[in-house]
Amino acid sequence: MKKKQQHGGGDCPAPRPPAAAAAAAGGSPGPGQGGGWKRRRPLSLLPFLSLRDYGFCMAALLLFCLGSLFYQLNGGPPHFLLDLRHYLGNSTYLDDHGPPPQKVLPFPSQVVYNRVGKCGSRTVVLLLRILSEKHGFNLVTSDIHNKTRLTKNEQMELIKNISTAEQPYLFTRHVHFLNFSRFGGDQPVYINIIRDPVNRFLSNYFFRRFGDWRGEQNHMIRTPSMRQEERYLDINVCILENYPECSNPRLFYIIPYFCGQHPRCREPGEWALERAKLNVNENFLLVGILEELEDVLLLLERFLPHYFKDVLSIYKNPEHRKLGNLTVTVKKTVPSPEAIQILYQRMRYEYEFYYYVKEQFHLLKRKFGLKSPIRKPRPRPEFFIPSPLETEEPIDDEEEDDEKWLEDIYKR
């Protein structure tokens, strides 16, 4: 019976020990069973690292987490990370591959040049077109050239359009002073240039009739709608017989550009004069004198280098001077001494403002070491004799279609 039990089911072989089964299958023996069996390393995804290497990785991860925690708790990176960055170099991956840094705006980044007509502003605008390409600021111009007095709604609309322009911007237009803060906007920095009032008047008088050398060469007729008797009206007759063009309020021209949009700013008198002086002191970075234009440009370059850097060298460039010569008013004549004296009396507020600005400008020049001409006081302005600091007659300005001319010149 025992024999049958041992060999019963002769077709079924007797079970073998696990070690023997593994050996028969060509495998390695189990642990403790000989055969040189090796233990498998943990984290089989990285079999090439030792336990010590894993320890270093975990320690580095812990330090990174602690550094991030310190950064958030202290409102900035810990000093040791800053020192590490300085040691490794200031450039990081994010610096080279991340989003571009936010644009740092120069100060001031909002400038308005409410240019006075017939005071060389076309020279400056032409320079600004070149400078805006060179320095990358936003030059904002207007399609409206001869509307200087605005209604309240027009003021609000213009201020809104200017304030929403991309900064840094420089806006330029013939327009009387605008008070941005009155309408809730940020008050920009103003700049401007004026000239001797009688010279400005005479330049405008003859330009309206005969234009400049551009028109002379092209046989263009300035102001075609003007009647012939008005076109050839003698300047002395206009002044002595008190024609509207040669009397107030038409002669009261410069002060409103600084006084503002108030109706009283258009009335010749002390109120408009004092308000213009106040605005010059509080809102204008610089009001220059056209007779000393090179010094004006030099001061603009020092005050607003992000707008006017290298402006003087561009202005002195022969090509620019060549363009400037084409805009000199033609057929100008000198009024009689009697007519000049009458103009001076009619423009006494304009001259009081002009001399005030001129004095402030010379004080500013002395602060920067620029010399001004020394002259003895004269009983009345010397209207027509150029001063030693005057350059060639600057480019005159027109209030109609001057932007189109500038664009044509700029495309050359």
Side-chain angles (χ1 to χ4, degrees), residues 290-295 312 315-316 321 386-395:
L290 184 64
E291 291 83 358
E292 302 170 30
L293 182 57
E294 290 192 7
D295 290 338
L312 199 55
Y315 173 72
K316 291 181 177 181
R321 289 298 183 96
S387 64
L389 282 185
E390 281 191 15
T391 59
E392 298 176 14
E393 181 169 355
I395 299 174

Short mmCIF file of all heavy atoms in Angstrom, two decimals, residues 290-295 312 315-316 321 386-395:
data_model
loop_
_atom_site.label_atom_id
_atom_site.label_comp_id
_atom_site.label_asym_id
_atom_site.label_seq_id
_atom_site.Cartn_x
_atom_site.Cartn_y
_atom_site.Cartn_z
N LEU A 290 13.07 132.83 -30.95
CA LEU A 290 13.47 132.40 -32.29
C LEU A 290 14.78 133.05 -32.75
O LEU A 290 15.56 132.45 -33.47
CB LEU A 290 12.35 132.71 -33.29
CG LEU A 290 12.59 132.22 -34.72
CD1 LEU A 290 12.66 130.71 -34.78
CD2 LEU A 290 11.50 132.74 -35.65
N GLU A 291 15.02 134.29 -32.31
CA GLU A 291 16.24 134.97 -32.70
C GLU A 291 17.49 134.26 -32.17
O GLU A 291 18.60 134.52 -32.65
CB GLU A 291 16.22 136.42 -32.19
CG GLU A 291 15.20 137.32 -32.87
CD GLU A 291 13.80 137.18 -32.28
OE1 GLU A 291 13.61 136.35 -31.37
OE2 GLU A 291 12.90 137.91 -32.74
N GLU A 292 17.33 133.37 -31.20
CA GLU A 292 18.44 132.59 -30.63
C GLU A 292 18.11 131.11 -30.73
O GLU A 292 18.22 130.36 -29.76
CB GLU A 292 18.69 133.03 -29.20
CG GLU A 292 19.00 134.52 -29.08
CD GLU A 292 19.00 135.00 -27.64
OE1 GLU A 292 19.34 134.20 -26.74
OE2 GLU A 292 18.66 136.18 -27.41
N LEU A 293 17.71 130.69 -31.92
CA LEU A 293 17.17 129.34 -32.10
C LEU A 293 18.19 128.26 -31.75
O LEU A 293 17.82 127.23 -31.17
CB LEU A 293 16.69 129.16 -33.54
CG LEU A 293 16.07 127.80 -33.87
CD1 LEU A 293 14.89 127.50 -32.97
CD2 LEU A 293 15.65 127.75 -35.34
N GLU A 294 19.46 128.46 -32.08
CA GLU A 294 20.45 127.42 -31.78
C GLU A 294 20.57 127.19 -30.28
O GLU A 294 20.73 126.05 -29.83
CB GLU A 294 21.80 127.79 -32.39
CG GLU A 294 21.81 127.70 -33.91
CD GLU A 294 23.22 127.79 -34.48
OE1 GLU A 294 24.19 127.79 -33.68
OE2 GLU A 294 23.36 127.86 -35.71
N ASP A 295 20.48 128.24 -29.50
CA ASP A 295 20.51 128.08 -28.05
C ASP A 295 19.23 127.41 -27.54
O ASP A 295 19.27 126.64 -26.58
CB ASP A 295 20.68 129.44 -27.36
CG ASP A 295 22.08 130.02 -27.57
OD1 ASP A 295 23.00 129.22 -27.85
OD2 ASP A 295 22.24 131.24 -27.47
N LEU A 312 20.84 119.65 -32.52
CA LEU A 312 21.63 120.77 -33.04
C LEU A 312 22.49 120.35 -34.23
O LEU A 312 22.63 121.10 -35.21
CB LEU A 312 22.51 121.34 -31.92
CG LEU A 312 23.05 122.76 -32.13
CD1 LEU A 312 21.92 123.73 -32.39
CD2 LEU A 312 23.87 123.20 -30.93
N TYR A 315 20.20 120.11 -37.16
CA TYR A 315 19.80 121.44 -37.63
C TYR A 315 20.91 122.10 -38.44
O TYR A 315 20.65 122.80 -39.43
CB TYR A 315 19.45 122.31 -36.43
CG TYR A 315 19.18 123.76 -36.77
CD1 TYR A 315 18.02 124.12 -37.44
CD2 TYR A 315 20.08 124.75 -36.42
CE1 TYR A 315 17.77 125.45 -37.77
CE2 TYR A 315 19.84 126.08 -36.73
CZ TYR A 315 18.68 126.43 -37.41
OH TYR A 315 18.44 127.73 -37.73
N LYS A 316 22.16 121.87 -38.06
CA LYS A 316 23.29 122.49 -38.77
C LYS A 316 23.69 121.72 -40.02
O LYS A 316 24.56 122.18 -40.77
CB LYS A 316 24.49 122.59 -37.83
CG LYS A 316 24.31 123.58 -36.70
CD LYS A 316 25.54 123.65 -35.83
CE LYS A 316 25.39 124.69 -34.72
NZ LYS A 316 26.61 124.78 -33.88
N ARG A 321 19.62 122.76 -43.89
CA ARG A 321 19.66 124.20 -44.19
C ARG A 321 19.15 124.49 -45.58
O ARG A 321 18.48 125.50 -45.83
CB ARG A 321 21.08 124.73 -44.02
CG ARG A 321 21.56 124.80 -42.59
CD ARG A 321 20.71 125.76 -41.78
NE ARG A 321 21.18 125.90 -40.44
CZ ARG A 321 21.98 126.88 -40.03
NH1 ARG A 321 22.40 127.79 -40.88
NH2 ARG A 321 22.37 126.94 -38.77
N PRO A 386 19.39 142.20 -37.57
CA PRO A 386 19.66 140.90 -36.93
C PRO A 386 20.63 141.05 -35.78
O PRO A 386 21.57 141.85 -35.83
CB PRO A 386 20.26 140.05 -38.06
CG PRO A 386 19.87 140.77 -39.32
CD PRO A 386 19.78 142.21 -38.97
N SER A 387 20.41 140.31 -34.73
CA SER A 387 21.32 140.31 -33.59
C SER A 387 22.50 139.38 -33.89
O SER A 387 22.42 138.53 -34.76
CB SER A 387 20.59 139.83 -32.34
OG SER A 387 20.20 138.48 -32.51
N PRO A 388 23.62 139.52 -33.16
CA PRO A 388 24.80 138.69 -33.44
C PRO A 388 24.53 137.19 -33.30
O PRO A 388 25.18 136.40 -33.95
CB PRO A 388 25.82 139.18 -32.39
CG PRO A 388 25.38 140.56 -32.05
CD PRO A 388 23.89 140.55 -32.15
N LEU A 389 23.60 136.80 -32.43
CA LEU A 389 23.35 135.38 -32.22
C LEU A 389 22.34 134.81 -33.20
O LEU A 389 22.08 133.62 -33.19
CB LEU A 389 22.85 135.14 -30.79
CG LEU A 389 23.92 135.14 -29.70
CD1 LEU A 389 23.30 134.76 -28.37
CD2 LEU A 389 25.04 134.19 -30.04
N GLU A 390 21.75 135.64 -34.02
CA GLU A 390 20.77 135.11 -34.97
C GLU A 390 21.47 134.24 -36.01
O GLU A 390 22.54 134.57 -36.50
CB GLU A 390 20.03 136.24 -35.68
CG GLU A 390 18.93 136.86 -34.86
CD GLU A 390 18.07 137.78 -35.70
OE1 GLU A 390 18.18 137.70 -36.92
OE2 GLU A 390 17.32 138.57 -35.13
N THR A 391 20.84 133.16 -36.34
CA THR A 391 21.31 132.33 -37.44
C THR A 391 20.67 132.87 -38.71
O THR A 391 20.03 133.92 -38.72
CB THR A 391 20.89 130.89 -37.20
OG1 THR A 391 19.47 130.84 -37.10
CG2 THR A 391 21.48 130.36 -35.93
N GLU A 392 20.84 132.13 -39.80
CA GLU A 392 20.12 132.51 -41.00
C GLU A 392 18.63 132.52 -40.69
O GLU A 392 18.18 131.82 -39.79
CB GLU A 392 20.41 131.49 -42.11
CG GLU A 392 21.88 131.44 -42.49
CD GLU A 392 22.13 130.36 -43.50
OE1 GLU A 392 21.16 129.84 -44.09
OE2 GLU A 392 23.30 130.03 -43.72
N GLU A 393 17.88 133.29 -41.43
CA GLU A 393 16.46 133.43 -41.10
C GLU A 393 15.81 132.07 -40.99
O GLU A 393 15.84 131.27 -41.93
CB GLU A 393 15.73 134.25 -42.17
CG GLU A 393 14.27 134.42 -41.81
CD GLU A 393 13.58 135.44 -42.69
OE1 GLU A 393 14.26 136.08 -43.50
OE2 GLU A 393 12.37 135.59 -42.55
N PRO A 394 15.25 131.73 -39.83
CA PRO A 394 14.69 130.39 -39.64
C PRO A 394 13.49 130.16 -40.54
O PRO A 394 12.91 131.09 -41.11
CB PRO A 394 14.27 130.39 -38.16
CG PRO A 394 14.99 131.54 -37.55
CD PRO A 394 15.18 132.54 -38.64
N ILE A 395 13.16 128.90 -40.66
CA ILE A 395 12.02 128.53 -41.48
C ILE A 395 10.76 129.16 -40.92
O ILE A 395 10.45 129.02 -39.75
CB ILE A 395 11.88 127.00 -41.51
CG1 ILE A 395 13.14 126.39 -42.11
CG2 ILE A 395 10.66 126.57 -42.30
CD1 ILE A 395 13.16 124.89 -42.05
#
